[in-house]
Amino acid sequence: MGDRERVVVETDATRKRALADLLRDRGVTVSDWFEEQLDLLIAETPRTYPDGEVEVPPADPVASLQDVDWAFSSADTTYLSHDIHPYPAKFIPQIPAALIRRLSRRGDLVLDPFGGSGTTALEAIRLGRRALSIDANPLAELVGRVKIGRLDNAASRQLNAFRTLMAGHALSPPEAGGDPGSIAEFIPDVPNIEKWFAPSAVAELALIRAKSENLDGLARDIARLALSRIVVSASFQDSETRYASKPRDVEPGATLAMYIAALDATIRRVEHAEPAVRYGLADFITANAQELRSSLVPDSSVDLVVTSPPYGNATDYHLYHRFRIFWLGFDPRDFGRIEIGSHLRHQRDGTGFEDYIRDLLPVFEGVGRVLKPGGFAAVVIGDSVYNGEAFASAESLSEGVSSLGLETVELLTRPLPEFRRSFSAAARRATEEKILVLRRPVGRERPRLVAPAYKLWPFEKDLRRREAVALVDCDPDDWSFPGQAAHIAKRLVFSHGIRYPGGFIAPTWQRILENGYSGDESGRKDPKYATHGIHRYKGKFYPQLAKSLLNSAGLDVGATVLDPFCGSGTLVLEGHLSGLRAHGVDLNPLAARIASAKVGVLDLDPNHVLRAAEFLRAELTGTVSCTGSMDQFPEAAHEEIESWFATPIAFKLNHVLSVIRASSTGVLQEFLEVVFSSIVRDVSHQDPRDLRIRRRKEPLDDADVFGAFLGALDAQVERLEDFWAIRGHCPTPLVRPTVVHGDAREGRPFDKLGLRDRSVDCVLTSPPYATALPYIDTDRLSLLLLFGLTSSDRRPLERDLTGSREITASSRRALEAEIRSPTSGALPGSVERFLIELLVTTEKAEVGFRRQNRPSLLLRFFSDLSRVLAESERLLRPGGHLFMVIGDSSTRIAGEDIRIPTTDLSRDIAEHLGMRLVDEFSIDVTTEDMKHAKNSITENRVIRLVKEGRI
């Protein structure tokens, strides 16, 4: 807690007596009642707390600790759920927060072997780390789990029903002297229980405990923690910090009424903290910290230790929580026998300061084992007083751990507030404490990268080497790298683990994304992790390639990346997952919608998404009242819809859209509509396996539209739940990407994105291949249903796409004239020469109109590509990278295959605009099992260029 301040409240004598009588009946002191009212008010009011601003790791983490005002004298120490339950001698959250920020990175594992009420754990996950909290006190595990709990719909329903049940019992409480019946087994074996609890309190506490056992998961934990919160108030114990019996009258029902208030307050606290801990990953374990076994915490698996051991001869945690531990079903005497620094143990056994340090050393022997080489351990500890003599705990611990493989790198002093609630007498309370910073030295053996379990293609092996060298200065001969780059190595794609000295293998972020944290050890390449598989989209490049190329550019976290042909958003999603500021533009409205939805849904409250999915299942399962309406589609689109969908199917599609649009807005609606779009081809007259738009041989008379949609939705929700479960492992901040529907050939879309000249660090794109794929025509049904775009609406959009096959006769003639007499100089000579040769060859041969159009279409394609690359060059900073993933195609004229060297000519265009070629290499691509896939491009090239000039 922060510094305590006295509050004086003036009232009249009548109100004072009335309040005192009421609180006496409830077994609550005025002080405790006032604190409870503050808790309730604060839980209902938006709180401020240290935010998670973008962290810039200090060049010297230890030296940066000197810049912190460790007193935190005016800081709010009760934000989020930090004060959800009384706990003595806990350190304020600002201390672990400052240490975690400076001595660890996002996704790191932070251990507190004296976890207490979970202060370190809550701060760790709030700051994007993972947490492991260990304590010998069984109450600590319960407090910690609730502190970071996320109330889902099922838990909320359980708690609502449970509260109603308890309210009913409060109206008719169990008789104090009656037959306890089924609740007898829930009365703990408290010595002299009648000295400490009124019979009515015993009966009601046992009833609460018995009924809470019927709950599960977080609901059960919350119910039990609320019980723990009121145990002392329901007892005869004089106060939280005075262990003496003071009997009083306790009215029947008073304990239950107090419990309901505590239950409400606890739920509100959890709900208030939920946004800050939503994706947090933390484990709370009841164990003796002196026994940090390998089975509990593997060697070299912890990135940072932040802890505050019990101070010597200062506090008795087992006594402070004695009755709580009993009522939760444990025996505080078991905890008391192993409690380090216990004052009662000192009095009973005559232990001294040497025994206290001797008890601590096994803990830090384990800390030295579980820390990764180079990892820090920050220990907040105060001096100890034994028999009136003060002992320097931090200095003695520093000396003791020197033989355990830990080195002292800093010792800081922190003044303590004058007031601290404790059983300790004033003479034993310290006025300052120390922050001892230890470090496990880095040995000579370097960590090594571990390859994926699945087989890599030759080009993937090459990419593995490129990205490892660029990001972590890896030695590709043995895959070792400097230990200080271990956190950056988590971003690698084609390395799935980091093997530390001692054998522990930490999975990379990519491995976790593909196979989970525990993972499928056999390994499988998954290109649909997160939301990558939300919707089919032709010609997209797979996500591992995009991320690996970003890595090979050596980009820092927070760098700005752009895809001017973003398609379904592979680059923007991978930029998001890599901690980059990613932007995308696409002229196809469906593509922009898919890209926006697949990144936007990841930032939504999971409960919001799950509730929407639950509602849609209820609305579309069983007997569904589907009226014969097409009101979700513009009337102008009805005729074309009826041509491509059987009437019953069209009505069902309309109904799904109506339910989606009536129950959702914004990003959630975009997500649901994209899921809807993903099933459209399958329930239409179109052959879903045909790249071209062809009708089925046997048209559909009807289809299970509702089942198809719910199946697709369930699949995506399952993917989202997999992602939410591992999001806390992400080693970087997740910056929301931006996607706009627009034309990348001109500057307006980039203005919408907030991009300015020299503001982009990397452009990575896979341009539409010249005349290769009819994107608009391929997605015509989704464009028709979602956007109301009829064939006449789609025709100009198709012509405007870069790489379009559509062209009018007049446009063709104008372009042919330009091929014969180029005047602008916008394209390099190699492009002009190729086009004139192709035009001459075409004119000499007798070919159909599509091949006659080819030279003009290619001129338009290269001109459009040049305009997009010119915009990209303008936006790139000097030294920024441009990656193009592109492939060649061919045309057949007079029986001869003529290669269209798209790759070479695209590279020439970029160089013509002032870019410098850095590298070029081939990659193989696979094709979907689709008709006409034999005509697909199966070999691509990656062209890597850099913008010249000074930064």
Side-chain angles (χ1 to χ4, degrees):
M1 297 290 289
D3 294 341
R4 307 288 292 191
E5 295 185 6
R6 180 180 296 275
V7 177
V8 177
V9 179
E10 294 186 0
T11 187
D12 57 55
T14 302
R15 290 183 176 183
K16 181 178 179 181
R17 284 194 300 272
L19 178 62
D21 291 343
L22 176 65
L23 296 181
R24 183 174 59 253
D25 292 342
R26 292 180 57 185
V28 181
T29 66
V30 173
S31 176
D32 285 343
W33 174 83
F34 186 74
E35 292 282 351
E36 179 71 14
Q37 300 314 302
L38 283 179
D39 281 349
L40 293 174
L41 177 64
I42 290 168
E44 295 170 351
T45 306
R47 306 292 304 285
T48 58
Y49 53 88
D51 60 23
E53 68 265 14
V54 175
E55 299 172 37
V56 179
D60 187 339
V62 176
S64 73
L65 298 176
Q66 297 285 354
D67 301 330
V68 180
D69 177 5
W70 293 100
F72 297 111
S73 54
S74 61
D76 173 15
T77 63
T78 61
Y79 56 83
L80 296 180
S81 52
H82 277 300
D83 62 344
I84 201 167
H85 190 282
Y87 213 93
K90 60 184 179 181
F91 56 3
I92 62 174
Q94 284 77 9
I95 297 174
L99 294 165
I100 290 167
R101 282 187 186 281
R102 288 159 178 80
L103 302 179
S104 70
R105 309 284 187 89
R106 285 180 175 270
D108 280 355
L109 177 62
V110 180
L111 165 68
D112 187 345
F114 297 103
S117 65
T119 302
T120 294
L122 177 52
E123 286 303 296
I125 64 173
R126 182 180 72 80
L127 295 170
R129 280 71 169 171
R130 297 172 291 127
L132 175 58
S133 187
I134 299 173
D135 203 282
N137 184 354
L139 173 60
E141 182 178 341
L142 176 64
V143 174
R145 286 202 305 261
V146 175
K147 222 173 191 181
I148 67 154
R150 280 89 76 192
L151 270 173
D152 59 19
N153 301 333
S156 294
R157 283 193 293 267
Q158 285 192 68
L159 287 169
N160 288 337
F162 178 69
R163 189 194 185 284
T164 301
L165 176 66
M166 290 296 99
H169 282 296
L171 296 175
S172 180
E175 294 184 14
D179 180 9
S182 62
I183 64 173
E185 63 180 291
F186 296 99
I187 300 174
D189 187 19
V190 179
N192 301 316
I193 192 170
E194 66 281 354
K195 174 184 175 181
W196 296 102
F197 292 91
S200 63
V202 170
E204 291 172 35
L205 289 171
L207 174 68
I208 294 167
R209 185 178 166 201
K211 298 303 180 183
S212 67
E213 290 297 312
N214 297 325
L215 305 175
D216 56 46
L218 180 60
R220 181 174 183 270
D221 286 344
I222 288 175
R224 283 165 55 82
L225 189 73
L227 169 66
S228 179
R229 282 181 58 155
I230 70 162
V231 164
V232 172
S233 297
S235 75
F236 293 154
Q237 185 174 315
D238 191 25
S239 69
E240 284 279 356
T241 56
R242 188 167 186 268
Y243 187 65
S245 177
K246 190 176 179 180
R248 56 186 171 78
D249 291 333
V250 178
E251 292 293 326
T255 300
L256 281 166
M258 191 178 354
Y259 175 75
I260 292 170
L263 179 65
D264 290 343
T266 303
I267 292 171
R268 281 193 290 266
R269 256 300 183 250
V270 172
E271 290 174 336
H272 168 69
E274 199 272 344
V277 302
R278 181 171 294 155
Y279 306 108
L281 297 174
D283 288 322
F284 297 89
I285 300 174
T286 302
N288 186 348
Q290 294 173 313
E291 302 173 357
L292 283 178
R293 305 177 303 277
S294 296
S295 59
L296 194 64
V297 188
D299 294 3
S300 303
S301 63
V302 172
D303 298 282
L304 172 66
V305 172
V306 175
T307 192
S308 182
Y311 295 178
N313 193 30
T315 301
D316 293 284
Y317 290 88
H318 73 282
L319 182 60
Y320 186 98
H321 291 308
R322 177 178 176 82
F323 295 131
R324 294 185 174 105
I325 295 173
F326 269 126
W327 277 102
L328 290 173
F330 304 99
D331 192 331
R333 292 163 292 196
D334 295 337
F335 172 34
R337 279 188 281 270
I338 61 173
E339 183 178 339
I340 295 175
S342 167
H343 173 59
L344 291 182
R345 185 176 167 197
H346 162 65
Q347 289 183 315
R348 184 184 68 244
D349 300 338
T351 58
F353 179 70
E354 295 79 6
D355 300 287
Y356 168 65
I357 294 296
R358 191 178 302 116
D359 285 344
L360 284 177
L361 290 181
V363 179
F364 287 92
E365 182 179 11
V367 165
R369 176 181 58 77
V370 303
L371 269 177
K372 292 175 181 175
F376 295 100
V379 187
V380 182
I381 191 169
D383 291 347
S384 302
V385 178
Y386 284 85
N387 301 321
E389 181 181 355
F391 294 87
S393 301
E395 289 81 355
S396 298
L397 182 61
S398 172
E399 182 179 348
V401 301
S402 62
S403 62
L404 303 177
L406 292 170
E407 59 183 10
T408 298
V409 294
E410 187 61 89
L411 184 62
L412 304 162
T413 299
R414 174 180 181 267
L416 286 174
E418 294 182 3
F419 182 88
R420 172 177 286 189
R421 298 176 73 179
S422 172
F423 282 120
S424 303
R428 288 189 286 119
R429 295 180 197 155
T431 59
E432 65 179 27
E433 61 190 3
K434 302 293 179 60
I435 303 176
L436 173 65
V437 183
L438 308 169
R439 182 172 181 260
R440 179 180 174 181
V442 177
R444 293 184 177 181
E445 187 178 354
R446 307 203 313 175
R448 286 175 166 76
L449 298 175
V450 178
Y454 54 72
K455 183 179 179 180
L456 296 177
W457 294 100
F459 80 90
E460 292 174 329
K461 293 179 181 178
D462 179 50
L463 284 171
R464 182 182 181 222
R465 179 189 61 80
R466 290 171 184 270
E467 62 171 349
V469 171
L471 270 191
V472 298
D473 192 23
C474 173
D475 180 350
D477 289 334
D478 63 1
W479 297 102
S480 67
F481 63 95
Q484 62 268 26
H487 186 80
I488 303 174
K490 293 180 181 179
R491 294 164 50 193
L492 295 171
V493 175
F494 294 116
S495 293
H496 275 199
I498 303 166
R499 185 188 300 276
Y500 289 92
F504 175 74
I505 299 177
T508 60
W509 175 224
Q510 185 65 31
R511 151 71 196 283
I512 296 169
L513 281 168
E514 292 188 45
N515 302 125
Y517 182 67
S518 56
D520 176 4
E521 295 300 331
S522 64
R524 59 186 179 86
K525 185 185 295 182
D526 181 7
K528 296 183 179 180
Y529 55 84
T531 50
H532 276 301
I534 193 172
H535 197 289
R536 288 175 294 190
Y537 197 79
K538 309 308 175 201
K540 63 182 179 181
F541 54 155
Y542 74 103
Q544 288 88 342
L545 172 61
K547 184 182 292 181
S548 182
L549 291 176
L550 291 173
N551 284 340
S552 68
L555 299 176
D556 293 329
V557 171
T560 299
V561 298
L562 168 67
D563 187 347
F565 298 107
C566 75
S568 63
T570 300
L571 181 277
V572 290
L573 179 52
E574 283 308 310
H576 178 61
L577 297 175
S578 300
L580 306 174
R581 302 182 189 279
H583 305 276
V585 178
D586 206 280
L587 191 56
N588 181 348
L590 178 64
R593 176 70 58 86
I594 295 170
S596 179
K598 77 195 302 183
V599 295
V601 71
L602 297 181
D603 278 347
L604 291 181
D605 180 343
N607 284 338
H608 190 34
V609 178
L610 295 174
R611 280 194 296 268
E614 186 176 339
F615 173 79
L616 287 165
R617 287 189 203 101
E619 289 292 305
L620 301 175
T621 301
T623 303
V624 180
S625 177
C626 179
T627 60
S629 174
M630 301 241 312
D631 61 339
Q632 298 302 307
F633 313 121
E635 190 171 346
H638 288 188
E639 182 179 352
E640 191 172 352
I641 292 172
E642 291 166 353
S643 171
W644 283 99
F645 298 93
T647 299
I649 294 175
F651 289 159
K652 291 175 185 177
L653 291 169
N654 186 86
H655 185 69
V656 174
L657 270 185
S658 69
V659 175
I660 289 173
R661 290 168 176 170
S663 61
S664 61
T665 58
V667 172
L668 179 58
Q669 182 177 315
E670 284 187 348
F671 166 71
L672 295 173
E673 288 189 354
V674 167
V675 174
F676 167 85
S677 172
S678 71
I679 70 161
V680 165
R681 290 174 61 115
D682 295 331
V683 297
S684 72
H685 293 321
Q686 178 181 329
D687 186 341
R689 291 189 63 247
D690 200 329
L691 276 171
R692 300 174 184 172
I693 304 303
R694 300 182 189 275
R695 293 180 179 271
R696 299 173 186 264
K697 293 181 179 179
E698 297 292 334
L700 294 178
D701 295 327
D702 201 352
D704 183 10
V705 174
F706 302 148
F709 171 74
L710 291 176
L713 179 60
D714 287 344
Q716 291 310 311
V717 168
E718 183 178 350
R719 287 280 186 178
L720 285 171
E721 289 182 310
D722 289 343
F723 177 73
W724 294 329
I726 54 90
R727 179 171 168 160
H729 290 275
C730 184
T732 64
L734 292 173
V735 184
R736 174 73 185 271
T738 52
V739 178
V740 297
H741 169 224
D743 190 343
R745 292 168 292 195
E746 45 96 26
R748 280 177 294 179
F750 306 117
D751 292 339
K752 290 181 182 178
L753 293 171
L755 299 177
R756 299 292 180 265
D757 293 2
R758 301 184 170 205
S759 64
V760 174
D761 297 287
C762 180
V763 173
L764 195 163
T765 192
S766 182
Y769 299 162
T771 69
L773 284 174
Y775 289 95
I776 297 300
D777 199 39
T778 299
D779 294 317
R780 66 159 69 176
L781 299 181
S782 291
L783 292 168
L784 178 66
L785 296 181
L786 284 186
F787 301 93
L789 297 181
T790 64
S791 59
S792 59
D793 299 318
R794 296 191 304 269
R795 196 169 298 115
L797 183 60
E798 181 77 73
R799 284 199 303 265
D800 285 344
L801 283 185
T802 298
S804 171
R805 302 176 180 182
E806 304 303 317
I807 191 171
T808 63
S810 59
S811 295
R812 189 190 77 185
R813 287 192 294 270
L815 289 168
E816 288 177 347
E818 189 175 340
I819 291 173
R820 293 187 178 92
S821 303
T823 56
S824 66
L827 295 175
S830 57
V831 176
E832 295 174 349
R833 288 190 295 272
F834 170 76
L835 292 176
I836 189 64
E837 290 174 5
L838 181 63
L839 178 60
V840 170
T841 302
T842 303
E843 289 177 334
K844 289 180 179 179
E846 294 183 1
V847 295
F849 77 95
R850 289 203 175 275
R851 289 187 174 85
Q852 289 176 1
N853 292 342
R854 190 61 57 88
S856 301
L857 292 174
L858 287 173
L859 172 58
R860 190 174 65 185
F861 168 77
F862 288 122
S863 297
D864 287 348
L865 180 61
S866 177
R867 291 172 62 190
V868 174
L869 294 180
E871 287 293 314
S872 299
E873 193 275 341
R874 173 180 67 83
L875 296 170
L876 273 173
R877 64 169 176 81
H881 288 82
L882 168 66
F883 290 91
M884 280 191 290
V885 180
I886 198 164
D888 294 342
S889 56
S890 64
T891 185
R892 191 169 182 82
I893 298 176
E896 181 181 353
D897 288 329
I898 297 178
R899 173 174 167 260
I900 301 174
T902 311
T903 304
D904 295 340
L905 299 182
S906 299
R907 178 195 60 224
D908 292 347
I909 291 171
E911 291 184 305
H912 185 69
L913 293 169
M915 306 288 288
R916 176 174 59 84
L917 180 67
V918 174
D919 199 5
E920 185 176 335
F921 54 93
S922 296
I923 60 172
D924 298 322
V925 296
T926 57
T927 60
E928 299 177 74
D929 181 21
M930 305 284 287
K931 294 179 182 178
H932 311 292
K934 63 181 183 296
N935 300 321
S936 301
I937 298 169
T938 58
E939 181 178 344
N940 283 350
R941 293 190 68 77
V942 175
I943 304 171
R944 178 179 177 182
L945 304 108
V946 67
K947 179 174 178 176
E948 299 280 32
R950 295 183 179 180
I951 298 175

